[in-house]
């Protein structure tokens, strides 16, 4: 999603693979991509560069004092307020961000009783160029020479402070109240000095929704190992009722503070201060986090970091990342270094979330895995989940189980659960295409992956049929959907169900895809033919908001809002596009009078990924369609930084012009992505942008809830996809690969147009799509590329009847 501002403007021998040692892919990851400031309406990516394992609950990193700070960190010279235990990846929404809980802050050059514990007096600048971030490790150094380091496991980890002059004091603030959102609503801190342990509980606001959540922390300060003789020499607590206090009295020897729950954030600043004596000049602390209790937070630390062994924790984290990264293997030395850096940095970010909160579910007892940071399915269904489907079904099976378990316990598939609470629904219930995708790809392995397909299917049907009391939190407005076959504008729902009745046009388009996902699951899971037909029929309802009479820039036919009586409600098709001449509100709010969420009719009119032939027809046939896609890009309607634009560079495939998609994808990649801190065109959105770039680099684009991927021209000469369930290694090689094609506008003499595709030695009849079975099947795919000499357009997708990618209306997806 967009930030609020922007939306207004328009191995180590990894387990299982014993072949020749893989290169160390972790060294290729640049964690600072996408960490620029998003201030003043820009979007900095909001990437999180701290210490974390794949899908970690604990994401340890430093926090800046200025907003926006959605991921805590910004790569500028802002002051740092602490190093805290949890963060999100690339989210939009609240510019203050969520999480950033229970920060620590090291202090020196003060005596215990007069240390500056208040947030505004303690905050510090970093010395220039001292930030270091690699998979499993983060470090920075303040201008006063104090060094901060972190490494972590799933729910625990180690933080180390190195003091430049131990004699000047070695103090650590344990901050109870300051999360990124400054949203403390109550909690407590308890200090056991002889045990060297501090336990915390806090209630904070979720960052994208109206609810709060309660989280627990545990810090241990006395390492059991004799190598670090670290003793607590002073301790106490502090509190002030004012968020702007700069001088706060420290109560020596005080061991606890309790703040009763308040229904809105308080301005209290509070925490503990500990002073140390340590022979090494460092203070090492072990932390654990939990959503269950502070005792469980302490137990998590003990379970996951029993020996306080820094190098073991860090090495284990690196090994987990290597295992993830080597599932997309390239020959590093042979490829373009920038592409390699973009690829591995993207693969890294695409596996930071969803977060594995298994055994940390505060709401219901279940043996199912529990995952969180689905922030939001609207962002991630297009690319994050399809990428997991190719290489990582073991993780994906757990995540899909968590979606299904959400339905089992709430009646609906979760949509934007984050900070453990339901967030705002942005459009459709976009867990539906995720579950549909799992059904079509892993139906015959579901048991092994721990997913009940009966429950998965019932979750889809219930979400497609039932309307929750508040469909702004979860589910869909099926009352309207089933009565009208579109979402009417200015309609008062007599059922009493409530929600946010905006985004009528884009919700219609997304509900149609959601129903297609049910149809696909019904087919894959051998449900009744009647179900297949019903949901297939309903998936065509996107046509019901097509107003053929609307024209824009000489093109006719646009998706539009529609009243309950069938009359269309006009909005200018360029409204909410990047070149909207009139200010419009384009987010969720009731001031959105355009009907599209974070996008324009120009852009959303291309949205029917399951039946693109219908869109081609509605737009007047292939040749007009091609001109229209060209115009969408050249006029400036393309909004690279947000999800509704993701598939459009590939749309030419559906008009038999894969050569144009190939050109366009290169153009989009080289104009919008890079290895700098501003290298992501929008918020990373829980890895959605990262997974998108991965697909562009691999020359693939997934069609939601189907076994088809569009295929194009990769930006590497070969890659191997490893699937961790099938234990397959599929080699995709570009024959004739030409590095001169790696630019925004490659010359016609460059070889990068797909000339043939050969699967295990057999030439395939389609140059435009490839099946999931092939891409995960363990064979060899050869993509032969050529320059434009014979006219790439002449080849098209091929001449056979099934050369075009499938569309439901033209008979596709029949099995
Ligand atoms: C902080 O960074 C900004 C932007 O790069 C720069 O203009 C400013 O001078 C810097 N301030 C300090 C104190 O370094
Ligand atoms: C916030 O937390 C309190 C106490 O845990 C709870 O009663 C309340 O329902 C929560 N939600 C909101 C929106 O206040
Ligand atoms: C705090 O406790 C220590 C050790 O028990 C004691 O020596 C010291 O006097 C106490 N400080 C205050 C201010 O009570
Ligand atoms: C700090 O530790 C040193 C030895 O490492 C010891 O000599 C000194 O007495 C200790 N100081 C305090 C206040 O405990
Ligand atoms: C999630 O956590 C559970 C419980 O520790 C563990 O069994 C599982 O392997 C984890 N999954 C991933 C993908 O890390
Ligand atoms: C599919 O369902 C039909 C009807 O319920 C049944 O006859 C058939 O055996 C099923 N096929 C498979 C492969 O399960
Ligand atoms: C699906 O649509 C077709 C064509 O309109 C219609 O004949 C059929 O009855 C519909 N099926 C269902 C289950 O709604
Ligand atoms: C349909 O309803 C809209 C909004 O109330 C109204 O402006 C329009 O005139 C109606 N159309 C017809 C044909 O009644
Ligand atoms: C894929 O196969 C080709 C041909 O055998 C080989 O040259 C290449 O190294 C393989 N690619 C990778 C990434 O291993
Ligand atoms: C494409 O390559 C062929 C063979 O190398 C060459 O003859 C032709 O001129 C090239 N075409 C273009 C458009 O550069
Ligand atoms: C072409 O590839 C698709 C899968 O990508 C496969 O279903 C089809 O059978 C292949 N055609 C031939 C002639 O091998
Ligand atoms: C399709 O047929 C045309 C005309 O016969 C030919 O020029 C073209 O190369 C063919 N395309 C493919 C992919 O075989």
């Amino acid at each position: 999603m967009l930030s609020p501002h922007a939306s207004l403007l328009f191995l180590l021998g990894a387990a299982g693979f014993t072949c020749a040692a893989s290169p160390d892919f972790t060294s290729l990851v640049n964690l600072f991509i996408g960490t620029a400031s998003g201030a003043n309406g820009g979007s900095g990516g909001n990437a999180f560069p701290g210490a974390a394992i794949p899908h970690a609950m604990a994401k340890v990193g430093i926090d800046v004092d200025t907003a926006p700070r959605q991921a805590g960190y910004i790569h500028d010279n802002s002051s740092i307020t602490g190093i805290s235990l949890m963060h999100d990846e690339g989210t939009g929404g609240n510019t203050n961000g969520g999480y950033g809980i229970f920060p620590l802050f090291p202090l020196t050059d003060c005596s215990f009783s007069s240390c500056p514990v208040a947030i505004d007096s303690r905050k510090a600048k970093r010395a220039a160029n001292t930030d270091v971030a690699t998979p499993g490790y983060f470090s920075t150094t303040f201008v006063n020479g104090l060094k901060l380091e972190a490494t972590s496991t799933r729910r625990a980890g180690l933080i180390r402070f190195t003091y430049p002059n131990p004699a000047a004091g070695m103090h650590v603030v344990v901050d109870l109240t300051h999360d990124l959102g400054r949203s403390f609503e109550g909690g407590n801190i308890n200090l056991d000095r002889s045990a060297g342990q501090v336990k915390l509980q806090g209630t904070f606001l979720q960052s994208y929704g109206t609810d709060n959540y309660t989280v627990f922390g545990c810090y241990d300060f006395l390492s059991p190992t004799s190598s670090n003789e670290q003793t607590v020499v002073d301790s106490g607590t502090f509190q002030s009722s004012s968020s702007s206090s700069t001088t706060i009295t420290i109560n020596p020897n005080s061991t606890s503070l309790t703040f009763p729950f308040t229904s809105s954030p308080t301005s209290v600043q509070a925490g503990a201060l500990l002073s140390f004596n340590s022979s090494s000049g460092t203070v090492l602390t072990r932390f654990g986090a939990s959503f269950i209790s502070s005792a469980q937070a302490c137990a998590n630390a003990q379970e996951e970091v029993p020996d306080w062994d820094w190098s073991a924790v860090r090495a284990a984290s690196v090994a987990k990342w290597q295992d993830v990264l080597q599932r997309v293997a390239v020959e590093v030395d042979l490829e373009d270094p920038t592409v390699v850096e973009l690829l591995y940095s993207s693969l890294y970010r695409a596996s930071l979330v969803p977060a594995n909160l298994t055994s940390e579910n505060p709401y219901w007892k279940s043996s199912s895995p529990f995952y969180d940071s689905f922030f939001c399915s609207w962002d991630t269904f297009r690319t994050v989940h399809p990428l997991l489907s190719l290489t990582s079904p073991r993780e994906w099976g757990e995540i899909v189980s968590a979606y299904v378990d959400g339905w089992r316990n709430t009646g609906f598939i979760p949509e934007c659960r984050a900070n453990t609470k339901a967030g705002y629904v942005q459009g459709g219930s976009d867990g539906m295409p995720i579950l549909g995708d799992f059904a079509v790809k892993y139906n015959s392995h579901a048991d092994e992956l721990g997913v009940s397909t009966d429950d998965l299917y019932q979750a889809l049907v219930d979400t497609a049929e039932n309307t929750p009391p508040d469909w702004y939190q979860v589910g869909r407005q099926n009352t309207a959907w089933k009565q009208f076959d579109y979402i009417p504008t200015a309609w008062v729902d007599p059922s009493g169900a409530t929600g946010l009745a905006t985004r009528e046009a884009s919700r219609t388009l997304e509900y149609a895809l959601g129903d297609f996902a049910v149809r696909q699951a019904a087919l894959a899971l051998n449900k009744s033919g009647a179900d297949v037909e019903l949901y297939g029929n309903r998936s065509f309802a996107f046509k019901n908001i097509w107003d053929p009479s609307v024209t824009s820039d000489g093109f006719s036919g646009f998706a539009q809002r529609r009243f309950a009586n069938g009359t269309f409600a006009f909005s200018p098709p360029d409204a909410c596009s990047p070149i909207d001449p009139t200010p419009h509100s384009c987010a969720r709010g009731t001031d959105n009078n355009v009907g599209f969420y974070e996008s324009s009719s120009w852009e959303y009119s291309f949205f029917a990924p399951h039946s693109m032939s219908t869109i081609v027809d509605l737009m007047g046939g292939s040749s007009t369609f091609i001109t229209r896609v060209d115009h969408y890009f050249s006029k400036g309607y393309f909004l690279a930084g947000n999800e509704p634009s993701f598939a459009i560079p590939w749309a030419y495939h559906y008009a038999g012009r894969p050569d144009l998609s190939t050109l366009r994808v290169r153009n989009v990649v080289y104009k919008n992505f890079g290895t700098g801190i501003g290298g992501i065109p929008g918020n990373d959105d829980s890895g959605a942008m990262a997974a998108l770039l991965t697909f562009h680099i691999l020359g693939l684009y997934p069609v939601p809830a189907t076994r088809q991927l569009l295929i194009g021209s990769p930006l590497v000469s070969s890659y191997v996809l490893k699937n961790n369930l099938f234990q397959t290694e599929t080699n995709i090689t570009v024959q004739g690969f030409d590095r001169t094609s790696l630019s925004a506008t490659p010359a016609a003499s460059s070889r990068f147009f797909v000339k043939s595709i050969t699967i295990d030695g057999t030439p395939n009849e389609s140059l435009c799509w490839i099946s999931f079975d092939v891409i995960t099947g363990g064979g060899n795919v050869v993509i032969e590329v050529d320059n434009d000499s014979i006219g790439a357009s002449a080849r098209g997708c091929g001449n056979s009847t099934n050369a075009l990618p499938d569309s439901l209306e033209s008979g596709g997806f029949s099995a």
Side-chain angles (χ1 to χ4, degrees), residues 51-213:
I53 66 164
H55 303 289
M57 182 173 109
K59 294 188 174 69
V60 194
I62 56 171
D63 302 320
V64 298
D65 68 334
T66 49
R69 53 165 174 257
Q70 280 96 337
Y73 183 91
I74 294 293
H75 198 85
D76 65 3
N77 57 19
S78 299
S79 293
I80 303 306
T81 54
I83 181 165
S84 65
L85 302 186
M86 288 186 201
H87 294 87
D88 279 316
E89 165 60 23
T91 57
N94 183 342
T95 55
N96 282 314
Y99 287 134
I101 47 126
F102 306 142
L104 298 182
F105 196 93
L107 289 169
T108 188
D109 287 325
C110 56
S111 64
F112 175 77
S113 57
S114 59
C115 279
V117 292
I119 192 163
D120 283 335
S121 40
R122 74 185 191 220
K123 65 188 180 187
K125 299 269 189 200
R126 287 162 281 172
N129 305 318
T130 55
D131 292 353
V132 177
T134 58
Y137 178 75
F138 180 85
S139 171
T140 193
T141 303
F142 289 159
V143 288
N144 65 4
L146 241 163
K147 184 176 184 184
L148 294 67
E149 295 170 282
T151 188
S152 58
T153 61
R154 181 167 76 94
R155 298 169 297 177
L158 295 167
I159 296 172
R160 181 161 62 201
F161 302 118
T162 303
Y163 295 76
N165 177 13
M170 302 171 68
H171 316 282
V172 176
V173 175
V174 184
D175 188 330
L176 170 65
T177 58
H178 289 105
D179 68 333
L180 294 177
R182 308 292 183 252
S183 68
F184 182 68
E185 290 191 335
N188 57 67
I189 183 167
N190 285 286
L191 191 157
D192 179 339
R193 173 145 159 197
S194 60
Q197 190 171 68
V198 179
K199 294 179 188 170
L200 306 101
Q201 167 178 349
T203 296
F204 304 94
L205 293 181
Q206 68 177 137
S207 65
Y208 194 63
T210 55
D211 212 342
N212 54 27
Y213 68 98

Side-chain angles (χ1 to χ4, degrees), residues 453-620:
T453 51
D454 285 344
D455 285 3
L456 179 148
Y457 189 67
Q458 197 59 46
L460 281 167
V461 169
D462 284 358
T463 304
E465 295 296 328
N466 304 337
T467 304
D470 179 5
W471 42 267
Y472 190 25
Q473 292 209 4
V474 74
R476 318 193 301 186
Q477 190 185 13
N478 289 320
T479 45
W481 181 237
K482 292 199 288 187
Q483 181 176 341
F484 295 94
D485 282 328
Y486 62 92
I487 300 300
T489 196
W491 180 68
V492 179
D493 191 332
S495 76
T498 60
L500 189 59
T502 55
R503 305 147 296 142
E504 310 89 311
S506 54
R507 280 195 287 133
T508 298
L509 301 174
E510 291 179 35
Y511 286 18
L513 176 66
D515 282 1
F516 173 72
V518 189
R519 185 255 182 205
Q520 291 292 91
L523 199 57
L525 303 175
N526 197 32
K527 301 295 175 182
S528 75
D531 274 18
V532 174
E533 193 175 294
L534 171 70
Y535 292 108
N537 279 4
R538 277 169 46 170
S539 80
F540 287 118
F542 68 89
K543 292 195 275 188
N544 295 334
I545 59 161
W546 192 264
D547 185 348
S549 71
V550 171
T551 63
S552 173
D553 300 345
F555 295 95
S556 302
F558 285 86
Q560 289 284 306
R561 288 175 301 156
R562 208 171 175 185
F563 293 109
N565 63 14
T567 302
F568 284 102
F570 176 76
S571 317
D574 61 0
C576 294
S577 76
I579 55 165
D580 186 355
T582 315
H584 284 101
S585 182
C586 307
R588 310 176 310 272
T590 50
D591 51 353
N592 178 335
N593 62 358
V594 173
F596 295 89
Y597 178 63
E598 293 188 349
S599 179
S600 61
S601 170
W602 249 100
E603 191 162 81
Y604 249 112
S605 292
F606 290 108
F607 189 85
H610 55 297
S611 200
M612 285 300 290
S613 70
T614 310
I615 300 288
V616 172
D617 289 346
L618 288 171
M619 289 187 175

Side-chain angles (χ1 to χ4, degrees), residues 160-299:
R160 181 161 62 201
F161 302 118
T162 303
Y163 295 76
N165 177 13
M170 302 171 68
H171 316 282
V172 176
V173 175
V174 184
D175 188 330
L176 170 65
T177 58
H178 289 105
D179 68 333
L180 294 177
R182 308 292 183 252
S183 68
F184 182 68
E185 290 191 335
N188 57 67
I189 183 167
N190 285 286
L191 191 157
D192 179 339
R193 173 145 159 197
S194 60
Q197 190 171 68
V198 179
K199 294 179 188 170
L200 306 101
Q201 167 178 349
T203 296
F204 304 94
L205 293 181
Q206 68 177 137
S207 65
Y208 194 63
T210 55
D211 212 342
N212 54 27
Y213 68 98
T214 297
V215 62
F216 304 87
C218 180
Y219 288 106
D220 286 307
F221 288 100
L222 296 183
S223 159
T225 57
S226 53
S227 62
N228 186 49
E229 284 168 27
Q230 172 180 309
T231 54
V232 180
V233 294
D234 272 308
S235 68
T237 64
F238 63 88
Q239 62 175 306
S240 163
S241 59
S242 164
S243 60
S244 57
S245 296
T246 51
T247 310
I248 306 179
T249 306
I250 293 149
N251 297 312
N253 296 344
S254 160
T255 58
S256 72
L257 295 171
T258 296
F259 300 92
F261 174 74
T262 55
S263 57
S264 59
T266 75
S267 51
V268 166
Q269 301 192 60
L273 180 69
L274 295 91
S275 297
F276 295 90
N277 189 10
S278 134
S279 53
S280 61
T282 66
V283 170
L284 180 67
T285 176
R286 181 179 74 175
F287 71 86
S290 175
F291 288 96
I292 303 296
S293 67
S294 55
Q296 182 155 326
C298 296

